[in-house]
Amino acid sequence: MNRSSRGVVPLLLCAALSPEASAFSRLPADSQDGKAAARPPASSLTRPASPAKPAGADGFIQRWLLLEPIPVPGQLTESAVRTAVETDFSVPATPFPHDADKLKIGDSELAWHAVDTLNYNVNLYHFAYALNKPTTNVLFWAVTVVNAPREMSGVRLAIGSNAASVWWVNGREATALYNDRQAVIDDGVSRRLTLNQGANVIRAAIVNAGGATDFCARFIDENDRPIKTLTATLTAR
Amino acid sequence: MKWRIAVAAACLLTVPVVALDGQPGMHDPSTVIVEHGKYYVYATGGGLPMSISDDGWTWRRAGGVMQAVPGGKPGPDVIARGGNNTWAPDLIHLGDKYFLYYSAPGTQPKSAIGLLVGKTLDPESPDYKWEDRGPVVWSDGIEDSNAIDPGVFHDPTNGTLWLTYGSYFGYIRLVELNPKTGQRLYPDRKPVNIAINSEASIMIFRDGWYYLLVTHGSCCQGANSSYNIRMGRAKKVTGPFLDNMGIDMLQGGGKLFLGSRGRHVGPGHFGLLDLGDGVEKFSCHYEADLDRGGISVLDIRPLLWRDGWPVAGENVKGGTYAIESARTGTALELAVQGVPVGGLRGRGGRGGMPPAPGAPPPPPPAPIPPQEASQVAASWPAGPASARMAPYMLQAQQQWTIAPAANAGGYPGSPFFKITIAGTDRVLAATPDRELTILPAFTGAPEQLWRIDQLADGTYRLMPKAVPNSKDPLALSAAGSSMPTLATFNPESDRQRWNIKTP
């Protein structure tokens, strides 16, 4: 949570965006008849245009399904985050969602959006802002499928998040970060785990209190080197 | 060793030494040598006393070298050139041989340095014996030299072998040796003078520099000994060896490496113990260990490097510390929700609210006491818990008590330690899957015992004595900013380097 960016980033963001800069243009823009003004698409996110997305040069996973942000109290302590993620605002792990699926949480109907990120990280601020959704005191759910060419043991999920986050690999919690923090590469690292040959489901919940919000994720080997042979798809089969 | 008092050495053989590390009482120790996992050191005394350790921490007397020499004493040529005392040896392993050099002074400065050659240091080996190869260098009692205190040096740049020697009467001298025989390579060449007013010389090499370490001051007077280790460096093995102020050691120069400190008076007789993987230690003796009645004892300590000079490191002492990753700057902690020190409270505005106009300034806020585990541990899990890393916030789950583990053995220079959350019995332990856990109580199991070596840059390597189901030595490692784990030590990386700081 970069408090110093409050109120600044939106202006800079608007100035920098252009329709050509992003293919993530299917996000709905509100009309101008008394509602919020239409917003340009997210500059760092695009619509997936291929069946699978290879891991980036540094192994980062760049294809995700993101659920529109859920308003939450925005507390970032371990107990508050776990309550939000596990109880108050949990979402079913199965079935694996599809792009444009809708999910009812409280009184809100929220949609999943398939995105590719142009960067190593997934900018949730861009995502929510382009949707005219809140970016403060929110919880984002993210899922993807990582496909391994062979079984890989002794690897670790390595993530960074702004702010707190909890992560699962194939249904088992892998790592978690709490409190107000910036998204630092390999900030949270799991114990050694095994990736199945083929599909492996990654789920994450990211809680933001205010300011910027993003995450990054990759797998690393025993020597902390990124694993670059993985691909990301958005189907669990 | 100036006018050594034979009685002092003889006393060391008989005075019982407290069991802290077995029997470390000795004077003028040689370089510590490792053979097949055992540590050997030789010292001044009748028959050249030998000490052995299985772990580098607990030492025991193991007879004398001369017991394995035909005749049981220096050969007649050595005695003729010097005398029949046996002092201050040094040795080196080259190829399949050990070359052991020893001082054989008569009435100083008439002295000689003899050579013994053997295949093994292990008295239990059928190959154990020492052959007398006669005197290597000597001083006639008139020249500016006292041929005792040998220090042998194998030059890693070209494989040449050298011997430094001397004690106060004149110069510290250097001669080249034959690496195949241990004898002088050019016996007709005049020795090179490289230092003065010192003794116990020995050379080491690092990064293009030859370092000459010598001992200044007086010995053999217990706590009244002013012994201290000094050094200079040169680009050539033959010198000139200059100290940090550019003063030649031939003119008395010498940067202090180690002086008296704490409970130890009069360090002398430096020896390098290179354990590999960038872990270097040095051995020395103290003229007086005040914790052992003031006798002279061996010590082994970390060898650090700073600005191109060796620095004497400190073995870890028991205490409460923060353990901070050199890789990430985050601190090892019990994975529980932290509580701010002093509890959750407002800060009264940025710097506090100013007093109303005309009102007296408010009293300063009361100090906030340190956070103790007893204040916050009620919500901690009772059973095993995870370890993780986080920014250090002075919180109780981040403070570790490092304490020597009783009767658990050790490693060169230190006993094994247990590492517990301060104020609790919760102990850091290795798991069979090469990760970490924090157990409710210490049982003494090897996976709960830690070896802590200070590295050349002053950081520390922490290794469990054993990892269940693993034969490989593993070190505490930072996998990212918040995940402590166990991994093979890589001396080139900060992953396994830790700072141990006062909390």
Side-chain angles (χ1 to χ4, degrees):
Chain A
M1 184 177 67
N2 183 354
R3 295 182 185 278
S4 65
S5 68
R6 283 181 175 175
V8 176
V9 169
L11 296 175
L12 297 175
L13 190 64
C14 291
L17 289 175
S18 71
E20 293 76 21
S22 170
F24 195 51
S25 55
R26 64 178 288 277
L27 296 176
D30 291 335
S31 69
Q32 299 181 30
D33 53 351
K35 298 182 180 178
R39 292 181 170 178
S43 62
S44 60
L45 303 173
T46 66
R47 294 271 300 158
S50 61
K53 176 78 170 173
D58 292 319
F60 289 103
I61 302 165
Q62 294 178 301
R63 175 165 294 176
W64 294 87
L65 275 167
L66 303 178
L67 184 64
E68 293 171 354
I70 305 168
V72 297
Q75 297 299 312
L76 299 174
T77 61
E78 179 172 348
S79 55
V81 168
R82 299 211 74 92
T83 298
V85 168
E86 296 172 351
T87 307
D88 294 352
F89 306 102
S90 65
V91 301
T94 56
F96 192 84
H98 299 87
D99 184 41
D101 280 358
K102 299 285 179 61
L103 192 64
K104 183 100 173 181
I105 296 183
D107 295 333
S108 303
E109 188 174 60
L110 305 175
W112 289 95
H113 298 266
V115 302
D116 282 357
T117 178
L118 301 174
N119 302 325
Y120 75 96
N121 63 332
V122 177
N123 192 317
L124 296 169
Y125 189 95
H126 286 181
F127 170 72
Y129 184 83
L131 291 169
N132 219 345
K133 299 290 184 182
T135 60
T136 295
N137 298 335
V138 288
L139 185 160
F140 297 93
W141 283 95
V143 298
T144 192
V145 176
V146 165
N147 299 278
R150 57 178 173 78
E151 182 178 285
M152 296 180 174
S153 61
V155 304
R156 300 175 188 270
L157 174 66
I159 63 97
S161 65
N162 184 347
S165 63
V166 184
W167 296 73
W168 297 261
V169 176
N170 292 328
R172 297 187 64 179
E173 184 173 326
T175 188
L177 297 172
Y178 306 106
N179 303 317
D180 189 11
R181 61 201 312 135
Q182 291 74 49
V184 174
I185 290 173
D186 301 347
D187 188 4
V189 177
S190 74
R191 291 186 167 214
R192 295 174 180 88
L193 53 80
T194 298
L195 285 177
N196 303 322
Q197 181 178 15
N200 297 270
V201 175
I202 316 299
R203 298 175 68 235
I206 300 97
V207 181
N208 190 44
T213 176
D214 64 328
F215 71 84
C216 58
R218 61 180 176 177
F219 284 89
I220 57 177
D221 68 12
E222 178 69 25
N223 296 309
D224 295 0
R225 292 174 300 213
I227 298 172
K228 302 177 183 178
T229 56
L230 306 174
T231 61
T233 59
L234 297 181
T235 174
R237 295 174 183 172
Chain B
M1 190 170 69
K2 184 179 182 181
W3 296 111
R4 292 190 171 89
I5 303 170
V7 173
C11 285
L12 295 178
L13 297 174
T14 55
V15 172
V17 177
V18 292
L20 180 64
D21 51 355
Q23 300 172 305
M26 66 186 73
H27 201 268
D28 312 325
S30 70
T31 299
V32 175
I33 300 290
V34 186
E35 180 186 282
H36 301 310
K38 289 187 177 180
Y39 299 80
Y40 297 82
V41 69
Y42 304 81
T44 282
L48 281 179
M50 169 174 56
S51 297
I52 302 176
S53 174
D54 295 326
D55 58 9
W57 167 242
T58 304
W59 292 84
R60 62 181 181 275
R61 285 295 176 85
V65 171
M66 287 299 169
Q67 293 171 311
V69 176
K73 62 180 182 180
D77 291 346
V78 175
I79 293 175
R81 294 287 188 184
N84 58 6
N85 292 302
T86 50
W87 291 354
D90 195 34
L91 72 164
I92 193 168
H93 189 219
L94 278 184
D96 61 350
K97 299 188 192 75
Y98 288 96
F99 298 136
L100 190 156
Y101 301 88
Y102 65 98
S103 312
T107 302
Q108 297 177 81
K110 181 177 183 294
S111 305
I113 291 175
L115 170 63
L116 301 175
V117 178
K119 289 184 177 178
T120 177
L121 305 182
D122 182 2
E124 305 300 320
S125 168
D127 293 330
Y128 181 68
K129 65 176 181 178
W130 291 102
E131 294 183 2
D132 178 12
R133 297 291 171 85
V136 178
V137 291
W138 52 88
S139 52
D140 60 10
I142 300 173
E143 63 189 295
D144 281 335
S145 173
N146 181 18
I148 64 169
D149 286 8
V152 60
F153 169 64
H154 189 226
D155 188 338
T157 67
N158 55 21
T160 54
L161 190 65
W162 302 84
L163 187 76
T164 61
Y165 63 95
S167 171
Y168 292 110
F169 294 92
Y171 298 103
I172 300 297
R173 289 183 159 169
L174 175 74
V175 295
E176 187 170 1
L177 303 174
N178 184 331
K180 293 181 180 176
T181 66
Q183 303 279 9
R184 283 190 70 178
L185 189 58
Y186 306 108
D188 295 333
R189 287 187 184 175
K190 191 176 177 182
V192 179
N193 295 332
I194 54 175
I196 199 170
N197 292 341
S198 54
E199 61 182 7
S201 63
I202 199 162
M203 217 179 284
I204 61 176
F205 178 87
R206 181 183 171 99
D207 292 341
W209 289 97
Y210 296 88
Y211 295 85
L212 177 64
L213 292 106
V214 301
T215 303
H216 283 200
S218 60
C219 83
C220 314
Q221 301 171 53
N224 195 37
S225 306
S226 60
Y227 243 23
N228 60 95
I229 300 175
R230 292 183 175 264
M231 59 190 170
R233 64 180 187 180
K235 281 295 185 181
K236 294 196 301 183
V237 69
T238 51
F241 290 90
L242 308 182
D243 69 11
N244 55 319
M245 300 306 291
I247 301 175
D248 196 324
M249 294 179 78
L250 268 173
Q251 298 175 317
K255 173 180 167 64
L256 182 68
F257 172 76
L258 183 61
S260 300
R261 194 173 179 190
R263 302 284 290 166
H264 299 129
V265 178
H269 282 260
F270 175 97
L272 175 67
L273 176 56
D274 186 345
L275 297 178
D277 277 344
V279 180
E280 290 182 327
K281 312 258 180 180
F282 73 93
S283 58
C284 68
H285 80 258
Y286 302 118
E287 288 289 325
D289 179 350
L290 302 182
D291 288 329
R292 293 190 181 90
I295 66 166
S296 175
V297 298
L298 174 74
D299 197 9
I300 298 175
R301 291 172 54 169
L303 181 64
L304 319 184
W305 290 87
R306 190 172 301 143
D307 299 329
W309 290 95
V311 175
E314 298 273 0
N315 288 313
V316 171
K317 293 180 173 57
T320 296
Y321 302 97
I323 302 174
E324 176 192 277
S325 166
R327 172 182 177 174
T328 66
T330 48
L332 188 68
E333 69 173 22
L334 175 72
V336 296
Q337 182 170 311
V339 177
V341 179
L344 289 166
R345 63 174 75 187
R347 61 188 173 187
R350 297 178 188 274
M353 295 297 290
I368 297 173
Q371 186 178 89
E372 306 286 345
S374 58
Q375 299 169 327
V376 294
S379 62
W380 293 358
S386 297
R388 71 182 174 200
M389 288 136 60
Y392 184 64
M393 302 282 284
L394 288 71
Q395 295 175 2
Q397 78 278 5
Q398 302 178 312
Q399 298 185 28
W400 299 88
T401 295
I402 298 176
N407 304 317
Y411 52 95
S414 282
F416 283 110
F417 293 91
K418 62 177 180 179
I419 303 176
T420 54
I421 296 288
T424 79
D425 294 327
R426 298 168 187 266
V427 63
L428 185 68
T431 67
D433 58 352
R434 295 178 293 150
E435 303 287 1
L436 294 162
T437 187
I438 298 172
L439 301 172
F442 178 71
T443 66
E447 63 269 22
Q448 302 172 19
L449 299 171
W450 292 85
R451 169 178 179 157
I452 306 175
D453 291 297
Q454 194 173 27
L455 304 173
D457 64 353
T459 61
Y460 292 86
R461 179 184 71 174
L462 291 83
M463 304 178 76
K465 182 178 182 181
V467 178
N469 303 334
S470 176
K471 294 180 180 177
D472 299 327
L474 299 174
L476 183 66
S477 181
S481 302
S482 58
M483 183 63 183
T485 185
L486 296 170
T488 302
F489 178 67
N490 177 0
E492 306 301 321
S493 171
D494 275 348
R495 288 187 187 91
Q496 290 95 35
R497 294 175 186 268
W498 299 82
N499 293 300
I500 296 179
K501 297 181 172 179
T502 52

